[in-house]
Amino acid sequence: MAWSNRSDTAAVLEDNRAARREVGDALGSGLAELRGTLGHIRQELLDAVTSGVADLRTENRELRRRLDRAVGELAEARQDIARARTDMESLRRQLLEAPPDPEPLAPAPAAAAEDGEEPVGRDGAPLDAARLPGLLRCAAGIASATLLCHRDTWAFVLEQAARDRHFRAPGQVLSPGGDRVEAALSGRSLIAVLTSLWHTAGSGRGATGDWALAVELYVRIAAAVERTGGGGRSGAAVTIVLDDRAGDVGDEEAPTAS
């Protein structure tokens, strides 16, 4: 009887040990599988995060490029606005500083040409209308021309040309001495000057100060501009001196005048 009890106890113990081994093996296998699953999930999460970060970096670089471009365009717009304000202020100053013309407006004489008639030159002969398109083309090819004249003459040029859509007020008008001024005009502004003087010269003959100024200035500016075209190009800077006292500046055909 005692032996039988010992045998039963040993069998129970052996069964317990076997059950433990089975449970241990099951737990070990489950844990290994769980570790593998967790590692796979971790890798997938890591890949997703890495891909997402790369996409975010790409988008961030693109946004930075767009922002830099927008900042550059804004800076250019501010510079354009500043230049426009400077031009307007310069034009306003020049108009305010220009002395009023004391010469009363006189009616055109009976022999005066109607508006739009071909202008008449200093010698009484009509100015060559066929010459004007070539002059404007020469002016269009000039980057910059320096105009040196009396401040009253400059005021007249400014009053005439400011009404033309191609005129741009020079950024700076210098005073080299005395009552003379020096202004840098672009080719586009020279087109406006020539066109406006041509129309003013055609508005009346000989009796008005506007006609006299317009004809004289047109002839002399046209001569200086014309020298820049054709085979006579020298590469020298274009300088237009409207002052007879300055003497000859290399243009025997068109002496300088105030």
Side-chain angles (χ1 to χ4, degrees):
M1 187 67 178
W3 173 257
S4 177
N5 290 336
R6 284 198 297 271
S7 297
D8 293 340
T9 300
V12 170
L13 292 174
E14 184 61 27
D15 290 341
N16 287 338
R17 282 193 292 271
R20 286 179 182 177
R21 283 194 297 272
E22 291 178 358
V23 171
D25 292 342
L27 288 174
S29 176
L31 288 174
E33 184 178 353
L34 181 60
R35 288 193 185 100
T37 302
L38 290 176
H40 183 68
I41 292 173
R42 179 189 299 172
Q43 187 61 42
E44 288 182 348
L45 289 174
L46 182 60
D47 292 342
V49 170
T50 301
S51 176
V53 170
D55 292 342
L56 287 175
R57 286 175 177 171
T58 301
E59 293 178 1
N60 190 36
R61 284 194 294 268
E62 180 63 24
L63 289 175
R64 285 181 178 177
R65 281 195 293 268
R66 292 181 181 179
L67 180 59
D68 291 341
R69 187 163 54 248
V71 170
E73 292 175 353
L74 179 60
E76 291 179 359
R78 287 177 175 173
Q79 291 176 357
D80 291 340
I81 292 173
R83 283 193 292 267
R85 287 177 176 173
T86 301
D87 290 345
M88 292 178 63
E89 180 62 23
S90 176
L91 181 58
R92 185 186 68 83
R93 254 193 334 266
Q94 292 166 18
L95 290 175
L96 290 176
E97 292 174 359
D101 188 356
E103 179 181 283
L105 294 176
E114 298 294 333
D115 287 347
E117 187 172 336
E118 187 175 23
V120 176
R122 291 172 292 184
D123 55 359
L127 296 178
D128 187 3
R131 181 187 179 196
L132 182 59
L135 287 173
L136 299 183
R137 289 188 60 184
C138 288
I142 295 175
S144 179
T146 300
L147 177 63
L148 182 63
C149 62
H150 191 278
R151 65 166 55 219
D152 292 348
T153 305
W154 169 243
F156 178 77
V157 172
L158 192 63
E159 290 167 1
Q160 299 299 310
R163 294 171 291 186
D164 192 286
R165 67 186 183 90
H166 290 297
F167 185 75
R168 296 294 184 272
Q172 187 177 15
V173 177
L174 305 177
S175 296
D179 291 327
R180 297 197 302 175
V181 297
E182 181 178 318
L185 298 176
S186 65
R188 185 177 182 183
S189 291
L190 283 175
I191 289 176
V193 170
L194 287 169
T195 303
S196 59
L197 291 176
W198 171 270
H199 288 302
T200 301
S203 63
R205 291 178 179 169
T208 66
D210 285 352
W211 172 86
L213 282 168
V215 170
E216 194 68 17
L217 294 178
Y218 175 83
V219 169
R220 300 191 182 203
I221 294 175
V225 170
E226 198 169 46
R227 287 197 305 273
T228 66
R233 293 179 179 172
S234 63
V238 180
T239 302
I240 305 170
V241 182
L242 303 175
D243 188 347
D244 282 337
R245 297 171 303 170
D248 191 355
V249 291
D251 180 18
E252 297 180 356
E253 296 180 358
T256 56
S258 57

